[in-house]
Amino acid sequence: TYPAPLRTVAATVHAGAALLCGAAYVSSPHTKRNSQSPIWRVVALAFAGWALVAAVAPFPLATLPTMLGRRLSRAFGAFSVLYAAAALALATADNKVLRRGVARAAAAHWVAVGAKLVVERNCLREFYPAAFSRPVASLAALGTFAVALFVAGRRDNGVR
């Protein structure tokens, strides 16, 4: 674990960046919203929550959104922030390229989790005890990627 002063500084810097981003979002002119706006907002909130879990939650909970283990779980918080930003951008304006990117990233996550299940099926409980110790949180993390994949893949206004 990191020393308390370092954690305090890091949390302050990240909170300041979040406040700046939030202020910029609130002050930006509103664009035409797509029909899936509320769903994308929920997805953005979920990914932001997983970023927070990856950054501050104790182990084993911090490893659940990625199932990558202790070393990479904290770093994955940055990717969760990117997912949240992409989902929030899609809530305000539909962008076909961004939507495809979110769908591909969510699908890649599901493929990676599926590959782990196939390759390590006999020793899953040994290698990923966190997933078995927090089954509800594990399913919620997988559900976030599933919803992102589903919503990104839906046809809306004839555009895919």
Side-chain angles (χ1 to χ4, degrees), residues 33-132:
R33 297 182 178 187
N34 67 28
S35 64
Q36 297 175 353
S37 177
I39 299 169
W40 279 118
R41 289 180 192 281
V42 170
V43 169
L45 184 63
F47 278 123
W50 289 120
L52 186 64
V53 165
V56 299
F59 292 106
L61 187 60
T63 63
L64 295 182
T66 62
M67 297 183 81
L68 291 174
R70 291 180 82 124
R71 292 183 186 183
L72 295 175
S73 63
R74 299 283 190 210
F76 187 77
F79 288 102
S80 293
V81 170
L82 289 174
Y83 287 136
L88 193 56
L90 286 167
T92 56
D94 192 26
N95 181 317
K96 190 163 89 172
V97 173
L98 186 58
R99 194 165 20 101
R100 283 182 183 166
V102 169
R104 288 176 181 160
H109 182 78
W110 271 94
V111 167
V113 170
K116 284 181 188 182
L117 291 174
V118 170
V119 171
E120 300 169 347
R121 67 182 169 274
N122 295 330
C123 52
L124 260 178
R125 199 174 282 274
E126 177 185 339
F127 286 125
Y128 301 104
F132 290 96

